[in-house]
Amino acid sequence: MKVSLFAFQYVANCLVAIALIDVAKADLVKMCLFYKVSGHARTDPILSQECVSDHVHTFYGPQLFHPETTPEDLRNSDPKYSTSVYKENKSLYWHPSIYKVGRDFTTNETTYELVEVSFSGPYYRWDRDAPAPIVEAFPPGFQMIAGMDPTLPGLNLFSECLCPKPCNRTDNLCESNSTFFPSQACGEMGIAMAFPTCWDDSKGLGDTGDHMSHMAYTIDGKVAGECPPGYNRRLPQIQLFVRISNYEGGQHTFSDNTMPDDEEVFHADFMNGWDEGVLEDIVDNCNPLPGELDDNYNPECTCEQFLTRKSTLLDFDTEEGRNDAEAANICAINTRTHIVDEEIFFVKGGLPRGSCSAPLIKDVPPSFVDECGLEYSPNDFNEEECEGQGDTMSSSEEESYSDESGSEEGSYSDEESGSEEESGSEEESASEEESSEEESGSEEESGSEEESGSEE
């Protein structure tokens, strides 16, 4: 059979076009990291180095979150006492703690029970096809706060209820008035947001001022979007997600939303603790993996080949996202002897609030715990085994954030299921509360988590 030169050239051109499309789809790199909680305390090392913070925060990463903690302290820390899977990333991430709001049947007082966060994870994204400035790693000493203005394009703040089911709380407080927390119970409930990527280096590293204005989202809110005028450098996007297994439904709140004049606004903090040179190497040399969609916000996770798994993991062989978090679980420290002596796991009447409102403990290093009976316990949650129930956002969330989570950022479940959790559909499968509750071996983080009825 003869093939004309024209036909041959046509086929060749088509193959080239397909290859170019694949390359275009592979411009965005996504690196997925997974964490258990490293502790809870009324501290914010970015906002105040001298006082307790206004409200309780939940931390991920090194067990160094005293107000006096610096980026240098993080870089010099022992990775053994961090909930990071990898040695090289000693960064610290935190957000207002999540509480179940209840009622004391005897006194009729409001109760606050710290909720166990099953796991959290920052996804790092950068796009090789983004316009100048070219993306670079976070510089030493860098820190930022994001999320205070939920209207900003690019924040892409939303929550999601996976495997919804009826709320069966014994206190009957199943009606939620929250934007984030649904009334129905969920096999797994999640919150996600993205940090900005454009940096005005003339405003410093985020260690002065409001710790926010040195950063801005791209003009269109997308990873590859143009930076606003004056923001002359581009950094990777961090999308932080938080997951709660067996969410009970009903009344829940953030620790900074318990006073009459408070507003429900989710925000998060980042303090760079990467070993110098490591993230630079990843950003420069980690090749993107092809995606299936044109906007391609969710390619497969990659870059693990540039990192070193800790030898102290509870299980060294897991490569299934949330199970990585379980493998990196560690014994809790007692923050009541190290930061501030106050009850934060189960409180009646009201949570401790107010900056500088309690004595800050100084010059007492954290008492790290090497052994507390922790064992590796893989996840058994599977979104595809939800008795036929589909994923749904909380209704208020749907109204408020469907537009923001729409195109590029996709949906929360897409983030973790489609790519991050290289465990496929099982990705969303994560009821690891069992293992995180096992943290109960140690008084504060694990045991205290259990004190509160939930680790985090």
Side-chain angles (χ1 to χ4, degrees):
M1 176 174 128
K2 295 183 178 180
V3 179
S4 69
L5 178 61
F6 175 80
F8 178 81
Q9 189 169 12
Y10 174 78
V11 172
N13 289 341
C14 288
L15 291 174
V16 169
I18 292 173
L20 290 175
I21 290 173
D22 285 342
V23 170
K25 288 182 178 180
D27 289 330
L28 188 140
V29 181
K30 184 173 73 169
M31 177 173 65
C32 306
L33 307 175
F34 301 88
Y35 288 80
K36 296 295 287 186
V37 168
S38 57
H40 318 267
R42 198 151 61 98
T43 169
D44 190 322
I46 290 181
L47 284 180
S48 175
Q49 292 71 51
E50 300 294 329
C51 290
V52 299
S53 61
D54 172 72
H55 48 274
V56 182
H57 289 99
T58 294
F59 294 84
Y60 309 92
Q63 289 178 319
L64 292 178
F65 41 86
H66 190 281
E68 296 175 342
T69 299
T70 66
E72 184 178 6
D73 293 332
L74 297 179
R75 289 196 305 274
N76 293 332
S77 65
D78 186 342
K80 177 180 179 181
Y81 303 112
S82 169
T83 55
S84 172
V85 174
Y86 305 107
K87 292 181 179 180
E88 296 88 351
N89 184 14
K90 301 167 188 173
S91 300
L92 196 62
Y93 313 81
W94 65 97
H95 60 77
S97 298
I98 299 170
Y99 283 84
K100 173 187 171 182
V101 181
R103 182 73 58 186
D104 184 287
F105 293 119
T106 303
T107 64
N108 204 36
E109 291 180 289
T110 300
T111 62
Y112 297 90
E113 181 179 356
L114 192 61
V115 168
E116 174 191 350
V117 173
S118 301
F119 71 96
S120 180
Y123 288 177
Y124 284 59
R125 287 182 175 87
W126 57 96
D127 196 311
R128 295 177 182 274
D129 196 37
I134 297 173
V135 65
E136 59 185 293
F138 297 106
F142 184 86
Q143 48 196 316
M144 62 176 160
I145 301 173
M148 300 306 294
D149 183 356
T151 66
L152 290 175
L155 177 63
N156 299 301
L157 176 64
F158 61 97
S159 70
E160 188 171 47
C161 179
L162 304 177
C163 298
K165 50 192 173 183
C167 170
N168 292 314
R169 288 174 49 162
T170 57
D171 58 13
N172 295 319
L173 296 179
C174 285
E175 186 64 34
S176 174
N177 55 5
S178 165
T179 301
F180 293 90
F181 301 107
S183 297
Q184 71 267 40
C186 312
E188 187 170 273
M189 179 262 181
I191 299 172
M193 61 161 281
F195 284 82
T197 57
C198 299
W199 175 33
D200 178 353
D201 62 2
S202 70
K203 296 179 180 178
L205 297 169
D207 53 351
T208 59
D210 63 7
H211 314 286
M212 294 182 286
S213 58
H214 63 306
M215 294 296 293
Y217 292 96
T218 58
I219 294 173
D220 64 3
K222 296 186 177 183
V223 175
E226 293 186 5
C227 286
Y231 289 83
N232 59 325
R233 298 173 75 173
R234 186 189 297 271
L235 305 174
Q237 181 199 75
I238 298 176
Q239 184 198 37
L240 183 69
F241 65 85
V242 177
R243 291 204 168 194
I244 300 169
S245 292
N246 295 324
Y247 169 78
E248 293 185 65
Q251 295 187 19
H252 287 73
T253 192
F254 296 115
S255 57
D256 60 347
N257 186 36
T258 63
M259 306 293 284
D261 294 332
D262 290 337
E263 294 183 8
E264 185 178 56
V265 177
F266 183 71
H267 63 277
D269 300 46
F270 166 70
M271 182 178 283
N272 180 27
W274 281 89
D275 286 347
E276 290 193 46
V278 174
L279 188 58
E280 289 86 343
D281 185 30
I282 294 174
V283 170
D284 291 342
N285 298 307
C286 182
N287 293 321
L289 298 178
E292 297 179 357
L293 302 176
D294 290 338
D295 65 4
N296 194 32
Y297 188 65
N298 262 325
E300 291 186 18
C301 300
T302 186
C303 306
E304 184 180 10
Q305 64 271 28
F306 292 83
L307 299 168
T308 308
R309 286 176 172 256
K310 300 188 302 185
S311 61
T312 54
L313 296 175
L314 297 177
D315 186 293
F316 194 76
D317 296 328
T318 177
E319 295 181 1
E320 298 184 354
R322 64 188 71 219
N323 282 335
D324 273 357
E326 293 299 337
N329 204 2
I330 59 176
C331 299
I333 60 172
N334 185 357
T335 59
R336 296 188 69 163
T337 61
H338 165 53
I339 299 177
V340 56
D341 185 11
E342 61 186 12
E343 175 56 48
I344 59 172
F345 292 92
F346 186 85
V347 183
K348 293 182 181 180
L351 291 174
R353 291 289 304 273
S355 299
C356 304
S357 61
L360 176 66
I361 299 172
K362 296 189 175 184
D363 303 319
V364 178
S367 297
F368 298 118
V369 180
D370 290 318
E371 182 56 50
C372 59
L374 284 178
E375 294 181 359
Y376 173 70
S377 178
N379 296 284
D380 59 13
F381 173 75
N382 191 332
E383 183 189 348
E384 294 194 351
E385 296 178 359
C386 293
E387 299 180 354
Q389 300 184 75
D391 302 352
T392 62
M393 280 184 149
S394 68
S395 57
S396 55
E397 202 80 66
E398 231 167 36
E399 297 171 8
S400 301
Y401 302 114
S402 59
D403 289 342
E404 295 172 313
S405 65
S407 62
E408 162 171 307
E409 315 312 355
S411 77
Y412 178 80
S413 62
D414 287 342
E415 293 296 334
E416 320 218 342
S417 67
S419 43
E420 139 212 4
E421 332 230 48
E422 306 157 13
S423 56
S425 67
E426 164 185 294
E427 153 263 322
E428 267 349 314
S429 75
S431 168
E432 65 195 83
E433 78 183 311
E434 305 173 354
S435 79
S436 77
E437 296 178 307
E438 289 181 26
E439 283 187 304
S440 65
S442 174
E443 155 186 356
E444 168 122 37
E445 165 121 34
S446 48
S448 47
E449 322 169 34
E450 312 253 4
E451 297 174 30
S452 75
S454 47
E455 152 193 7
E456 339 280 275

